[in-house]
Amino acid sequence: MKTRMPSLLTAGTLALALTACGGGAPEEEAVEVEAAEEPGEGGGVLDMLAELASSTQEVTNYTLDLDLSMPDPELGTVDMTMTYEVMDDPEAAQVTMVMPFVGEMLLELAALGGEDPGLTAEELGTTVLIVPAEGESLVSNHNGLQEVDTPWARGVQDTAELGPQEMFDIASLPDLVGAFAEIDQIEAAGTEEVGGVETTLVEGTMTTEEIDALDAEQKLAVLELIGDVSGSVDVSIWVGRDGFPMRLDFSDEEADVSMVFSELGETSFEIPGEDEITDL
């Protein structure tokens, strides 16, 4: 059993508190377009990973779809989907968290009270926030859980802990990639198209010994994403021609995490007007 929960699972617990108090985004499919390359190009792969690390430094506009399946000591297997839409003009992020297990718990609570919310588990377990660069976060009232008469609420407790930088910081990508570059057995496995971008698929397996041998920043980046590792971690990275990681998958004996980037430099969404917001 994992002793260290990843930041994303902690975020799910906070979201549960938000929805209980009343205060999606599908993964893009990778389409195979070419047969696997011959192994034995380790140097080229490491060079690619080095470029990948540097290519993440200046990214300020992107959409990230993240799927997570992971055991929890109290909840059993937890499945979560998160979408981060990060734009740079104005600077803000929209975070959509879909957690059916939260909705199931809320339905059970409602049933005990003899109530029917008239919503599905997925609808009840969906939280949408807008996190501006300055000012308080906004929480969507799309499912009526905020008990306000407007589409959005401001001043909901604990929303600061659900911002993108707290749940997943893209600045940690260079450390993640640096960790994967330390894998002894890593190789190119062909080319695929992800989100309309041609990529090279790189695969490898990282052992617990290799993770323990990482420098502090790299090890923290791995553990923050997937928690403590059981056995070893299978790693797959889809790298675009410009060196950006369009998709990253990680899995061990207990957990699966998938991250898919899209809309690089093209992500945008509307900021609600003041007449659409209630201050709590």
Side-chain angles (χ1 to χ4, degrees), residues 4 9 19 23 31 36 69 73 90 105 117 129 140 145 150 180 191 195 221 228 234 239 249 254:
R4 178 192 179 100
L9 199 53
T19 53
V31 181
S69 179
M105 295 174 67
L129 300 94
S140 172
L145 293 178
T150 54
F180 303 146
T191 60
D228 284 340
D234 293 326
V239 186
D249 286 3
E254 298 181 337

Side-chain angles (χ1 to χ4, degrees), residues 1-272:
M1 180 179 296
K2 293 175 181 293
T3 58
R4 178 192 179 100
M5 292 294 109
S7 298
L8 298 171
L9 199 53
T10 304
T13 302
L14 285 170
L16 171 61
L18 283 177
T19 53
C21 291
E27 174 186 324
E28 301 214 17
E29 293 293 331
V31 181
E32 185 172 343
V33 296
E34 212 172 284
E37 297 176 7
E38 292 297 322
E41 299 181 8
V45 169
L46 295 182
D47 289 343
M48 181 186 301
L49 292 179
E51 293 178 7
L52 189 157
S54 63
S55 73
T56 64
Q57 300 282 1
E58 304 299 327
V59 177
T60 58
N61 180 292
Y62 61 91
T63 295
L64 170 61
D65 290 316
L66 194 151
D67 288 342
L68 177 148
S69 179
M70 186 168 291
D72 179 89
E74 297 181 359
L75 301 174
T77 299
V78 172
D79 295 312
M80 301 168 59
T81 298
M82 299 187 184
T83 297
Y84 304 87
E85 298 170 84
V86 180
M87 65 178 179
D88 47 14
D89 187 19
E91 291 185 41
Q94 182 165 268
V95 184
T96 302
M97 292 172 284
V98 182
M99 295 161 288
F101 73 95
V102 172
E104 293 288 353
M105 295 174 67
L106 293 177
L107 284 175
E108 290 177 5
L109 289 173
L112 289 174
E115 300 178 0
D116 181 4
L119 298 171
T120 65
E122 183 168 311
E123 290 170 334
L124 281 173
T126 298
T127 301
V128 182
L129 300 94
I130 290 180
V131 186
E134 298 182 1
E136 292 187 78
S137 298
L138 307 177
V139 179
S140 172
N141 191 35
H142 63 282
N143 50 18
L145 293 178
Q146 300 307 316
E147 299 180 354
V148 297
D149 296 327
T150 54
W152 297 86
R154 181 166 48 205
V156 179
Q157 291 184 347
D158 296 326
T159 51
E161 300 299 324
L162 292 172
Q165 301 302 315
E166 283 69 31
M167 291 191 289
F168 173 75
D169 186 355
I170 195 171
S172 67
L173 272 182
D175 288 324
L176 276 174
V177 174
F180 303 146
E182 300 294 328
I183 299 176
D184 288 336
Q185 300 297 324
I186 190 165
E187 61 184 29
T191 60
E192 294 182 2
E193 188 174 296
V194 179
V197 176
E198 185 175 349
T199 68
T200 297
L201 171 59
V202 179
E203 296 179 329
T205 300
M206 174 170 278
T207 65
T208 52
E209 291 78 14
E210 287 175 316
I211 293 175
D212 289 339
L214 294 171
D215 66 38
E217 290 77 11
Q218 292 174 344
K219 184 175 181 180
L220 179 62
V222 172
L223 296 181
E224 285 291 330
L225 184 64
I226 61 176
D228 284 340
V229 174
S230 176
S232 60
V233 180
D234 293 326
V235 179
S236 299
I237 308 174
W238 288 256
V239 186
R241 289 181 175 178
D242 61 355
F244 191 84
M246 294 300 298
R247 177 172 174 174
L248 304 94
D249 286 3
F250 322 96
S251 62
D252 66 5
E253 295 177 356
E254 298 181 337
D256 292 284
V257 179
S258 178
M259 305 164 59
V260 181
F261 285 94
S262 61
E263 301 296 321
L264 300 181
E266 300 178 359
T267 294
S268 65
F269 54 88
E270 290 189 14
I271 302 294

